[in-house]
Amino acid sequence: MPAPHRVPAPVLFVFSGLTQYAGAALAVGLFAVIASPTVAWLRIAVAAVVLIAWRRPWRARWTRRSLLTAALFGVVLAAMNVTFYLAIDVLPLGTAVAIEFLGPVAVAAVTGRGWRERLGIVVAAAGVVALAGVQLGAGDDPRVTHGLIAIGAAAACWAGYILLGRRVATGTDAGPDAPDGFASLAVGMAAGAIVFAPFLAGGSGPVWHDPALAAAVVGIAVLSSVVPYAVEQVVLRRVTAATFAVLLALLPATAAVVGAVALRQWPHGWEIAGLACVSAAILLTAVPSRRPRVVG
């Protein structure tokens, strides 16, 4: 039995969240040298290369439909990462992740039919208002407003990512040679990198001349994109819907912990209340399906 299958699913999930946000914290450290949108583009481009080399998607039987779906998914994923990195350039990591969760909570509220979904969106909105209010009240820096707009855009992209990801994670076509979720993700990330390259690739010059920067970018791509997606595919096959909802609700807190330890961004007061509200909303509304989760 492969080693990952011997590790308890909650441990794997927490490990996935920690690596994902450790990658984000590492990215923040590069923003002084490379613009945040370019760091996001480099993350997508490197992850695409790694996944393509690993999964070799050209061996699958692609149709026009599956190829277009994967490409659109990748463009939305790239947009989500670019806007997320714009946000964490000025907002605390835990705050940005919590506000971004408004996207999946909104999807659950719109597609769900029960009281839990309706209550969840109200609780999430209260948490987001608390978090945004703290940031706006912290000073008159216009960059904070830009960061809140960026994370709002990231939340909207995450909603679209979820809707497309339902198809991509399970494969859009049937048959033994049809592309699986990993192959579709590889093609999608390549498409996203290509679409955003004319706008963001020009700022990547320092990476090509500094081995340390290049290694950091590879680390960000592996930590934030490759590892979380691979781990989640194992977790989704082993836990119940209720367990996955509980685990998903831990992510804003996980991001806050990583932000506090790695970036000295300690939450307090209304920020803690906002994080708690968003986590409660996720717990109320999260219904796992076989979809990728790669977040900021």
Side-chain angles (χ1 to χ4, degrees):
M1 181 180 295
H5 295 279
R6 294 197 295 267
V7 180
V11 175
L12 282 174
F13 194 92
V14 172
F15 171 75
S16 173
L18 288 172
T19 58
Q20 181 173 334
Y21 298 126
L26 180 60
V28 171
L30 298 186
F31 292 166
V33 181
I34 307 172
S36 56
T38 298
V39 176
W41 176 79
L42 286 166
R43 166 187 163 180
I44 291 293
V46 172
V49 171
V50 172
L51 284 168
I52 288 173
W54 174 33
R55 302 305 296 182
R56 290 175 285 180
W58 56 84
R59 299 184 303 177
R61 179 182 57 80
W62 293 89
T63 64
R64 178 179 297 179
R65 178 186 177 189
S66 61
L67 194 59
L68 288 176
T69 300
L72 179 59
F73 170 76
V75 172
V76 172
L77 172 61
M80 180 178 73
N81 280 279
V82 169
T83 50
F84 178 75
Y85 275 34
L86 280 168
I88 64 174
D89 194 8
V90 295
L91 300 178
L93 179 60
T95 296
V97 170
I99 296 175
E100 190 186 25
F101 259 101
L102 190 61
V105 170
V107 170
V110 170
T111 59
R113 299 179 181 178
W115 66 268
R116 293 167 63 91
E117 290 82 2
R118 297 186 182 93
L119 178 60
I121 192 64
V122 172
V123 174
V128 168
V129 168
L131 291 165
V134 168
Q135 294 303 313
L136 289 174
D140 57 0
D141 187 351
R143 296 199 315 150
V144 172
T145 302
H146 298 159
L148 291 171
I149 293 172
I151 203 61
C157 289
W158 197 359
Y161 164 89
I162 289 171
L163 297 175
L164 289 167
R166 294 180 192 276
R167 299 170 61 87
V168 170
T170 56
T172 54
D173 297 305
D177 297 325
D180 60 9
F182 286 108
S184 296
L185 182 67
V187 169
M189 282 190 166
I194 291 170
V195 167
F196 280 87
F199 311 101
L200 302 177
S204 64
V207 173
W208 309 113
H209 303 96
D210 189 329
L213 281 179
V217 168
V218 172
I220 291 167
V222 172
L223 289 171
S224 292
S225 294
V226 178
V227 171
Y229 188 83
V231 170
E232 184 169 277
Q233 293 308 294
V234 176
V235 172
L236 282 171
R237 290 173 172 83
R238 296 171 55 191
V239 302
T240 64
T243 300
F244 189 80
V246 172
L247 295 174
L248 195 61
L250 293 173
L251 289 179
T254 303
V257 169
V258 172
V261 173
L263 302 173
R264 299 296 187 265
Q265 298 170 344
W266 298 95
H268 53 80
W270 283 107
E271 289 177 315
I272 296 175
L275 288 167
C277 284
V278 172
S279 294
I282 297 165
L283 186 58
L284 282 168
T285 60
V287 179
S289 59
R290 296 191 182 280
R291 65 174 184 266
R293 174 178 56 79
V294 181
V295 184

